[in-house]
Amino acid sequence: MIDLRKLRVRPGEPVLPAWNRLLDWAKQFRLYAGRGVRLQRTPNGTYVIADLRTTPWNHPFKVSLADREVTVAFGTVQDVVPRIGGRAIDEPVPVPRLRLDGGPDKDGRSWVVIEVKVNGKSGEIDPKDKDAVLIRLVSNLDRQTANVGRHPLAMLIWDAGRTSVIRVRQITHFDLRHLYVKAEGKPGRHIFWAT
């Protein structure tokens, strides 16, 4: 143990002897690499390199890709559970999956989207309609009809040959709320926001 009083330098005294005492004290300690930490020793000193990986965050609507199939974690829109291929995404075994049957757009992208169908008169989602909230794979975000709105969950980025997906970019991280706003003489607007 070092006596810290020996490191103190008064005005007019040389600093180098105190500095050398500090270096001698520091040399007694050895660096140990732990999990995710590498040590690289050089003539100029030791570099400590930490490769820390973050813990994945399991959030609503998390899109995962495996074997040309997409799975989507549980999430809701207006407290309605979306469906994939006629099955609710919270059904256990087998987990509902989207096949990557279609290809990307001209820029090599496609999207996993929530499609919400509203009643034309009320502008509300009918919770009894099993096809009111669907998860689909699309190559563009244009809506098909006035009473159907789309919200992207994730963007799929395809390779240059457009044969396989190389990256999934998550867009939505929360459960969603939805509002359909009617407009006079033109199609209404679908507004989505996080809850």
Side-chain angles (χ1 to χ4, degrees), residues 27-40:
K27 286 179 187 174
Q28 70 179 339
F29 298 105
R30 183 179 169 138
L31 294 175
Y32 294 98
R35 180 186 297 175
V37 176
R38 292 180 290 132
L39 299 176
Q40 184 176 357

Side-chain angles (χ1 to χ4, degrees), residues 10-170:
R10 292 182 180 84
E13 290 183 347
V15 174
L16 188 58
W19 179 255
N20 287 334
R21 285 191 297 274
L22 179 64
L23 289 178
D24 289 340
W25 172 77
K27 286 179 187 174
Q28 70 179 339
F29 298 105
R30 183 179 169 138
L31 294 175
Y32 294 98
R35 180 186 297 175
V37 176
R38 292 180 290 132
L39 299 176
Q40 184 176 357
R41 299 188 197 291
T42 70
N44 295 328
T46 302
Y47 290 100
V48 178
I49 303 148
D51 296 324
L52 302 176
R53 297 219 161 66
T54 59
T55 306
W57 176 38
N58 292 324
H59 54 80
F61 295 123
K62 182 174 183 176
V63 174
S64 302
L65 176 70
D67 299 328
R68 295 192 53 85
E69 290 184 324
V70 171
T71 57
V72 180
F74 178 75
T76 61
V77 178
Q78 292 294 104
D79 301 323
V80 176
V81 178
R83 300 174 94 59
I84 295 176
R87 297 182 56 224
I89 62 172
D90 63 345
E91 289 185 22
V93 180
V95 174
R97 300 175 189 276
L98 279 173
R99 293 275 313 143
L100 293 179
D101 293 331
D105 65 2
K106 63 180 177 56
D107 296 323
R109 297 182 188 129
S110 60
W111 289 266
V112 177
V113 299
I114 287 277
E115 273 193 353
V116 173
K117 181 172 65 174
V118 296
N119 182 312
K121 293 179 183 177
S122 69
E124 299 286 325
I125 298 171
D126 181 3
K128 294 176 187 163
D129 182 0
K130 293 188 176 194
D131 293 329
V133 183
L134 301 174
I135 295 177
R136 296 188 52 215
L137 182 64
V138 298
S139 60
N140 66 61
L141 294 176
D142 299 335
R143 65 179 173 179
Q144 306 303 73
T145 63
N147 66 335
V148 175
R150 285 185 177 167
H151 178 76
L153 298 178
M155 180 193 320
L156 306 179
I157 301 169
W158 295 66
D159 63 3
R162 295 188 171 123
T163 57
S164 63
V165 175
I166 57 174
R167 189 167 56 234
V168 175
R169 282 241 168 105
Q170 188 71 39

